[in-house]
């Protein structure tokens, strides 16, 4: 008997350029590219990479904004068999230098390296080669004869596609190894849940250096659909682009979606926008209710760097029935809840566990952290949540953010979601601070609009009608700017904590 | 590092019943079932199978028409870990007995076994247990305590799902081993080409005992879409069902499609019918042109039992531009043409080769036939065709049907497609018969409508203006009934040949 289950993935972009050469692949910076055009440009990028000494196995860091150059390099790095290391643009030069050393990057490609950036890199050993490009108009010029003769025509599922550093809401960043198999199963699992339409166009306005953005590029070439890349988030530009570029799917976090809705309060979204994929943490109930009322097809998800983006997604037909849930795991992955070292019962909160082919192969050069995360064959997410009787996931919070006050568990996200329904509050961030009597007590940073001056006692009274007493914040700080978040939109509770400590 | 690419498929129906319990799964015989309802009924079917002595590894033959019972047993046989052997209903009792012995079936489930059927089976060793059921109203009654305690919760890609006998347009039927991996990749490759819509409904009017029908059941549970099962082909019933049951995709062969169009000459198909998947051999040009003129979204395919159904499919945007082509291979499979023991150049005809994860694991208990088919790592289809410069497949014919006359190759399908454009001809079947002077000569059986009496000389003259002289049939036989075809809609040239020999 012949085993014909060949487990290699032929170059996704190349296959789409073969199957659907004239189909739209990319819209960015006012330009459009078909799969055939993108494929040809990526061949040029590969030649350029080779001419710079990049080969199979090389770790190549991208320090670039969302752009045509970013997209072409992601596919080019894959085609040459190198490993992609996307760098968070918001990091300081020192943080970047640390990541480049940790990941053993041989090259870093940057749009506009500052003197501090150059100085930080120069200190390290091995010192990565710095390559500067114009990401919005990349020209892949090479000397004659220095092109690449070796394209990797297919990848095994376990081959490493990228090393993506976890966004680090707690502790030191870890390089999650994302394999071709992780991306493939992420795309297939999502497609089997959300569907795949030949005329889909997926907007990438989340940073491409995070897995939520990067995964859209993978889906584009696996599904054969267009991706609409925005360099940065501007609610008006996004709203316009949804119409002009016929966007059918958009990935956003709650703050983005709220600003998009606020920017066009009296106008509906077009029918063709079939899925607003909402990630980056538990969504506030008032936002979900506004979406339901305005027919915005919001689909809540739960995802991680370590799961190559979404692992659970609420299917379209449950969007209203299960408001607030992140839905069920994508085929063929599984989710479980661990409480007190055993599997939790339905409704019981605990740490969210996950397993399946979308889960990272581990952390780069961190065998202890890897084996710690993968106890008993399950990946331990560090997030808290519960499953209802139907198997829908409700994400409560980062487990590390859990507040224990007087023996009672308080999940900050629950309190925040409630507070965001209070009229004068734009955003609320809830944390626990040490308390000699109760262990911890609940405190809150409130972001409010200019001129608004909420009364702490009034807020507490309002809360007390809606929440158990031990959940009501004992102290408030009011600020005028938005709450501090990482590039993936996750609230930085560490920063809030340091404010209360100061 | 942890390899997380778990290569097992959790029970597809069970997962859909978990993810989308209330979504429509099946419409048949005037009844509807959601995934949750179907899942529960299949559990009952599994208990019934177990109570009859069927267990993991058992070969279970189904001798049933398209029906609710057929669908439930397909999923039930899989869930208990047994192997499905679908039997062609048009076979004689002797042919069936031969297949049951060849496949070592321990059980055969039949709707209405005739005395001849029972007598034929009784002769064999081992003698399969005959179970009679009402397939349109199956009751899975069991004695207390005799249910199944062992469900197979997941399958490895190489596990055998079914043994499907090749339809036998030439030679003796061979049992093609179809694995879970074959079905999975068939569904994924097709979905990445045709798209997957959450509201899709796929009509199965092709026999479920052939892979063209069976594969629809696999896609239903993998995609989470409804399947609309018709017991037999009635053009009016099919046209009505497309509207009433909101069918979006239908798999047909040319003769069916022609009759469907003829049954509603003045009425368009509804917008939601997005794909008419046309298989079963090269399609006549006039039919394709009528479809183009009437906005019927016809999508030509090329498939085989050995490739778990389609292996090449013309993508929607090329439907008009490449009329007559079967398109490009489904991801990640490959197609090549072999001529004179080497790969053919574009446009050059030869034997169609295929490889990839949708190709059969081999023929049951036929190591020689298997290794003969898999020379040099490619599956040799026995069909003739060519690839154009863009990689689109044009199927010419069964290689065994190639006519060589005076050293010139004549592909019957080309001549048949031309003849079907002649006004008085309904269908034409072209074959080669031995000729002392030319080796073979081209002859033709013509099916014409009642009252029509085409003049052979006029046909020849008409052909001569459109075809090279050596391709024009030298002799005609006229019949009033349709041409003989197997259940998959393929022309039985063997039968035509016997008519000329008689």
């Amino acid at each position: 008997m012949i085993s014909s289950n060949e487990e290699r993935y032929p170059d996704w972009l190349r296959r789409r350029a073969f199957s659907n050469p004239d189909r739209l692949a990319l819209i960015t910076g006012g330009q459009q590219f078909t799969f055939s055009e993108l494929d040809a440009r990526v061949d040029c990028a590969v030649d350029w990479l080779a001419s710079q000494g990049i080969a199979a196995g090389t770790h190549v860091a991208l320090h670039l904004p969302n752009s045509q150059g970013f997209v072409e390099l992601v596919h080019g790095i894959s085609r040459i068999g190198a490993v992609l290391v996307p760098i968070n643009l918001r990091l300081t030069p020192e943080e970047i230098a640390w990541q480049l050393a940790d990941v053993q990057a041989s090259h870093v490609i940057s749009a506009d390296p500052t003197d501090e950036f150059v100085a930080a890199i120069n200190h390290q050993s091995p010192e990565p080669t710095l390559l500067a490009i114009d990401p919005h108009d990349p020209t892949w010029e090479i000397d004659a004869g220095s092109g690449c003769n070796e394209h990797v025509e297919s990848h095994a599922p376990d081959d490493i596609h990228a090393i993506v550093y976890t966004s680090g809401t707690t502790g030191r960043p870890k390089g999650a190894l994302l394999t071709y198999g992780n991306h493939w199963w992420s795309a297939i699992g999502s497609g089997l849940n959300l569907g795949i339409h030949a005329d889909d166009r997926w907007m990438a306005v989340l940073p491409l250096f995070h897995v939520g953005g990067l995964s859209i590029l993978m889906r584009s070439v696996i599904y054969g659909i267009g991706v609409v890349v925005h360099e940065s988030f501007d609610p008006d530009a996004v709203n316009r682009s949804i119409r002009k570029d016929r966007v059918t799917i958009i990935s956003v976090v709650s703050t983005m979606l709220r600003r998009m809705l606020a920017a066009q309060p009296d106008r509906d979204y077009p029918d063709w926008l079939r899925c607003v994929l909402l990630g980056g943490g538990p969504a506030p109930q008032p936002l979900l209710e506004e979406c339901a009322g305005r027919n915005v097809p919001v689909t809540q998800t739960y995802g991680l760097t370590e799961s190559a983006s979404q692992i659970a997604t609420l299917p379209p037909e449950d969007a209203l029935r299960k408001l607030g849930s992140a839905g069920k795991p994508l085929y063929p992955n599984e989710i479980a809840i661990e409480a007190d070292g055993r599997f939790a019962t339905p409704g019981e909160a605990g740490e969210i566990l996950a397993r399946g082919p979308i889960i990272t192969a581990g952390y780069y050069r961190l065998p202890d952290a890897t084996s710690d995360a993968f106890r008993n064959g399950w990946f331990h997410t560090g997030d808290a949540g519960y499953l209802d009787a139907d198997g829908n996931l409700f994400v409560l919070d980062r487990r590390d953010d859990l507040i224990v006050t007087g023996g009672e568990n308080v999940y900050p996200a629950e309190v925040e979601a409630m507070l965001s329904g209070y009229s004068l509050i734009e955003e609320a961030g809830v944390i626990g601070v040490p308390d000699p009597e109760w262990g911890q007590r609940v405190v809150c940073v409130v972001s409010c609009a200019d001129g608004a001056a909420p009364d702490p006692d009034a807020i507490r009274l309002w809360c007390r009608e809606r929440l158990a007493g031990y959940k009501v914040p004992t102290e408030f700080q009011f600020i005028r700017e938005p709450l501090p978040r990482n590039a993936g939109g996750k609230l930085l509770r560490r920063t809030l904590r340091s404010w209360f400590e100061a």
Side-chain angles (χ1 to χ4, degrees), chain A residues 257-270:
Chain A
L257 182 54
R258 207 183 46 237
R259 292 176 61 197
M260 286 165 57
L261 293 168
Q264 56 173 44
D266 303 320
R267 190 174 189 188
D268 281 348
Y269 284 90

Side-chain angles (χ1 to χ4, degrees), chain A residues 76-154:
Chain A
I77 288 168
S78 166
R79 187 165 287 175
I80 208 168
V83 174
L84 168 74
V85 184
I87 299 290
N88 188 329
L89 284 187
R90 303 194 191 178
L91 298 183
T92 64
E94 287 67 31
E95 289 171 313
I96 293 171
W98 182 88
Q99 279 191 15
L100 294 178
D102 189 65
V103 83
Q104 303 179 295
S106 71
H107 294 73
V108 56
I109 303 175
S110 182
D112 192 13
T114 61
D115 292 345
E116 292 84 351
F117 186 91
V118 173
I121 290 172
N122 279 345
H123 288 140
Q124 39 186 119
S125 156
E127 186 182 316
T129 305
L130 174 63
L131 305 171
I133 66 160
D134 176 357
H136 299 297
D137 186 18
T139 53
W140 308 116
E141 280 174 17
I142 60 164
D143 298 332
S146 64
C148 179
N149 298 312
E150 297 275 343
H151 288 189
V152 177
E153 292 182 356
S154 69

Side-chain angles (χ1 to χ4, degrees), chain A residues 304-320:
Chain A
L304 302 158
T305 300
E306 292 91 335
S307 65
S309 79
Q310 331 151 48
I311 179 161
T313 306
L314 199 63
E317 66 257 44
D318 286 341
L320 293 178

Side-chain angles (χ1 to χ4, degrees), chain A residues 429-431 445 483-484 491-500:
Chain A
V430 169
I431 53 170
V445 178
L483 294 179
L491 185 61
L492 289 169
R493 291 210 171 79
R494 261 187 317 182
T495 309
L496 300 186
R497 232 168 261 128
S498 68
W499 293 355
F500 269 92

Side-chain angles (χ1 to χ4, degrees), chain A residues 453-490:
Chain A
D455 170 19
D457 290 334
I459 299 177
R460 259 193 297 270
L461 200 65
W462 184 86
C463 281
R464 195 58 198 85
E465 292 167 3
R466 292 162 173 83
L467 289 170
Y470 65 91
K471 296 180 182 175
V472 176
T474 57
E475 200 176 327
F476 291 89
Q477 281 195 14
F478 296 95
I479 60 174
R480 298 290 164 199
E481 64 270 26
L483 294 179
R485 293 180 185 274
N486 72 16
K490 283 188 187 166

Side-chain angles (χ1 to χ4, degrees), chain A residues 227-271:
Chain A
V227 55
V228 179
V229 172
H230 281 234
E231 180 176 357
S232 58
F233 177 73
D234 171 327
D236 292 312
V238 166
N239 285 339
R240 268 197 312 276
S241 172
I242 288 171
R243 288 190 176 270
K244 183 168 67 77
D245 301 323
R246 292 194 70 87
V247 170
T248 63
I249 309 180
I250 179 173
S251 299
V252 290
V253 295
S254 296
T255 42
M256 289 177 171
L257 182 54
R258 207 183 46 237
R259 292 176 61 197
M260 286 165 57
L261 293 168
Q264 56 173 44
D266 303 320
R267 190 174 189 188
D268 281 348
Y269 284 90
D271 286 346

